[in-house]
Amino acid sequence: MIQRKPLVTDNYTADPSAKVFDGKIYIYPSHDRDIDVENNDNGDQYDMQDYHVYVMEDTEHFPKDCGKVLDVKDIPWASKQVWAPDCGKKGDTYYFVFPARDKNGMFRIGIATSKNPAGPFIPEAEPIKGSYSIDPCIFADTDGEQYLTFGGIWGGQLDKYRNNVYDEKNNEPVGDELAVCGKIAKMADDMKSFAEEPRDVVILDENGEPLKGKDHDRRYFEAPCQFKRGDTYYFSYSTGDTHNICYATSKNVYGPYTYQGVLLTPVLGWTNHHYCVEFKGKWYLFYHDCELSGGINQKRNIKFVEMEFNPDGTIKTIDGSLN
């Protein structure tokens, strides 16, 4: 197995999502550019312009590059920074979902479609109505309903929203204020719009209380991934400035979710972003670090490693410092 090795070495790749279509693993990463830009909390150094798709026939061989599938210049509503994407399927159509800044500099979430999981993808003329922020994740439940989770604070602008309304005066909660939550919305039948207003994905502590703003080791920052195992829903995410990938569980797709622990400890580089996928009876964690660039934050590479579940459904913590 090639786990723990950079899966792509001729491009800088980051923020992977991974889906199984037609018995293969399709990887949908962002595409870091080799540019010299000052790092800041707004994320200006992550000036991505296009997407590539990669496909793995199995876990023994490195993925194949399916080529460029979407470029920011072909997205009518977008101006720059096409960040972490995902892809879902309904019927015979694949729905590539991605964030980008609109012409006013606000992050929105767009949809592009194809009849092939490897693209190319044709973008819609407008972003999803009512969408905002970054890091969309499509989750298909066992009953056929599909949901979009999303949101990232700081550069991703989520901390500026309350009740789905933007206000520049809002900031990341501190102290005993309730932490900002990731968002979830059921998708409409057309998979191009929300069927409802986005809701909070509330994460509870061991006492059943929502996490507070001061709890940087556990509170939500960005990079949601939602999956189901048996009758349990898992919601995993990055804590951002403390660099953990944590997870929480619920018996309801909307939550609330109860915090369970750390899935992946910090990796080389500032960001930590991931995706969990089941393939041929085993579970895998796709993630990124900065091994290829020696730690340069905007020059990342995707990797994967096998996940292990305990008998009670908790997940064994993976050491992100290992190569």
Side-chain angles (χ1 to χ4, degrees), residues 208-228:
E209 297 295 326
L211 295 183
K212 306 298 193 299
K214 64 185 178 184
D215 195 350
H216 284 220
D217 287 332
R218 299 190 294 178
R219 64 91 172 87
Y220 180 87
F221 187 102
E222 64 185 0
C225 175
Q226 191 173 35
F227 64 95
K228 192 177 185 180

Side-chain angles (χ1 to χ4, degrees), residues 72-308:
V72 68
K73 70 178 187 294
D74 298 321
I75 303 168
W77 58 269
S79 64
K80 63 178 182 178
Q81 289 182 301
V82 287
W83 284 5
D86 194 12
C87 190
K89 182 184 182 184
K90 186 172 184 179
D92 63 353
T93 302
Y94 296 88
Y95 296 86
F96 185 80
V97 58
F98 60 92
R101 290 188 188 269
D102 66 15
K103 306 299 185 183
N104 297 314
M106 299 298 296
F107 270 109
R108 307 292 180 192
I109 297 172
I111 291 284
T113 58
S114 178
K115 297 298 183 182
N116 188 327
F121 292 91
I122 307 301
E124 295 294 304
E126 299 290 341
I128 298 172
K129 184 178 180 180
S131 69
Y132 56 92
S133 197
I134 61 170
D135 292 354
C137 168
I138 292 180
F139 166 65
D141 204 348
T142 48
D143 63 1
E145 297 289 354
Q146 303 218 29
Y147 301 84
L148 192 75
T149 52
F150 63 93
I153 65 176
W154 294 12
Q157 303 173 339
L158 180 64
D159 46 314
K160 298 295 186 181
Y161 286 83
R162 300 291 186 272
N163 298 315
N164 302 316
V165 176
Y166 180 88
D167 189 333
E168 180 62 33
K169 294 181 293 185
N170 290 328
N171 291 299
E172 178 187 1
V174 297
D176 287 326
E177 295 179 278
L178 296 183
V180 168
C181 296
K183 301 295 179 178
I184 183 171
K186 184 186 293 185
M187 297 299 290
D189 289 340
D190 65 1
M191 289 291 287
K192 298 177 182 179
S193 57
F194 292 149
E196 60 187 2
E197 290 288 317
R199 313 183 190 191
D200 286 344
V201 181
V202 177
I203 301 170
L204 307 176
D205 64 16
E206 64 277 10
N207 299 314
E209 297 295 326
L211 295 183
K212 306 298 193 299
K214 64 185 178 184
D215 195 350
H216 284 220
D217 287 332
R218 299 190 294 178
R219 64 91 172 87
Y220 180 87
F221 187 102
E222 64 185 0
C225 175
Q226 191 173 35
F227 64 95
K228 192 177 185 180
R229 186 172 179 268
D231 64 350
T232 301
Y233 295 92
Y234 289 74
F235 182 78
S236 52
Y237 57 94
S238 172
T239 60
D241 57 351
T242 50
H243 316 292
N244 292 319
I245 298 294
C246 296
Y247 74 102
T249 59
S250 178
K251 297 300 183 181
N252 189 304
V253 67
Y254 290 112
Y257 286 78
T258 300
Y259 179 86
Q260 297 295 336
V262 175
L263 173 53
L264 177 67
T265 62
V267 300
L268 177 64
W270 201 91
T271 63
N272 206 351
H273 195 114
H274 75 298
Y275 212 90
C276 304
V277 65
E278 184 180 17
F279 181 66
K280 296 185 177 179
K282 294 183 177 181
W283 283 87
Y284 298 94
L285 178 77
F286 283 76
Y287 66 104
H288 68 227
D289 65 16
C290 298
E291 179 181 345
L292 287 181
S293 67
I296 300 175
N297 292 328
Q298 66 270 31
K299 297 179 183 180
R300 297 165 290 181
N301 52 261
I302 57 173
K303 296 182 172 183
F304 83 116
V305 65
E306 188 172 343
M307 295 167 55
E308 294 184 67

